[in-house]
């Protein structure tokens, strides 16, 4: 791992987003909570939070970070049809928080996929990216 011992401790925040395309019927079933596996959005939200907390165990050489915030927004959309995913992660530390936000978005999308796959064989996960990072040596804004 990279030595971060000499880096300043700062408040750091990252926002990552992604999208999962669904068929209109799948979105309707999801919104009616009528899918076989249960409450899809609640499950995906919990999965995203768990993923953020486990990032250092999933990504080799990633530093474990004490998270101070993980906010997950899952927004159903009709155009394009699917779920927009946004995760905001915060920490106060010596290294960035972007991997936690990106991992959380990815796992939320995979959870949505898993919970909808029985009724939708055409789902596509895409657009996973870092939208914003603040608090370190380099800020990112997309």
């Amino acid at each position: 791992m990279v030595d971060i011992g000499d880096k300043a401790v700062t408040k750091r925040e990252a926002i990552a987003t992604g999208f999962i395309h669904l068929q209109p019927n799948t979105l309707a079933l999801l919104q009616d909570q009528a899918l076989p596996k249960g409450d899809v959005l609640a499950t995906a939200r919990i999965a995203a939070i768990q993923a953020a907390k486990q990032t250092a165990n999933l990504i080799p050489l990633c530093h474990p970070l004490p998270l101070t915030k993980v906010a997950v927004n899952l927004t159903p959309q009709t155009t394009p049809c699917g779920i927009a995913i946004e995760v905001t992660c915060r920490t106060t530390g010596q290294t960035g928080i972007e991997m936690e936000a990106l991992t959380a978005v990815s796992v939320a999308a995979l959870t949505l996929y898993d919970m909808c796959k029985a009724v939708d064989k055409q789902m596509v996960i895409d657009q996973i990216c870092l939208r914003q990072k603040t608090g370190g040596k380099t800020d990112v804004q997309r």
Side-chain angles (χ1 to χ4, degrees):
M1 289 188 343
V2 174
D3 185 357
I4 59 171
D6 294 331
K7 291 176 79 175
V9 174
T10 61
K11 179 180 173 188
R12 297 161 184 266
E13 180 178 276
I15 300 171
T17 59
F19 195 84
I20 183 166
H21 297 268
L22 305 172
Q23 295 299 306
N25 183 56
T26 306
L27 182 61
L29 290 168
L30 184 151
Q31 290 178 305
D32 292 341
Q33 295 191 12
L35 285 163
K37 289 193 174 185
D39 189 339
V40 175
L41 296 179
T43 304
R45 188 172 289 108
I46 291 167
I49 294 166
Q50 286 181 321
K53 293 167 65 173
Q54 292 297 315
T55 300
N57 293 326
L58 298 170
I59 308 296
L61 308 180
C62 191
H63 289 277
L65 299 176
L67 300 172
T68 59
K69 175 183 182 175
V70 179
V72 181
N73 293 313
L74 304 170
T75 307
Q77 292 184 187
T78 56
T79 307
C81 189
I83 306 293
I85 306 162
E86 180 182 270
V87 176
T88 302
C89 292
R90 281 193 200 136
T91 191
T92 300
Q94 295 170 288
T95 191
I97 189 84
E98 61 270 27
M99 293 309 298
E100 285 72 12
L102 287 162
T103 299
V105 167
S106 300
V107 171
L110 290 169
T111 301
L112 291 164
Y113 190 100
D114 178 59
M115 294 191 73
C116 296
K117 68 185 178 192
V119 298
D120 192 340
K121 306 298 185 206
Q122 298 179 16
M123 292 178 288
V124 173
I125 295 169
D126 70 2
Q127 303 173 14
I128 294 174
C129 67
L130 180 66
R131 291 286 177 198
Q132 182 177 327
K133 177 181 84 76
T134 59
K137 197 160 94 173
T138 307
D139 288 346
V140 173
Q141 181 77 35
R142 289 193 180 99

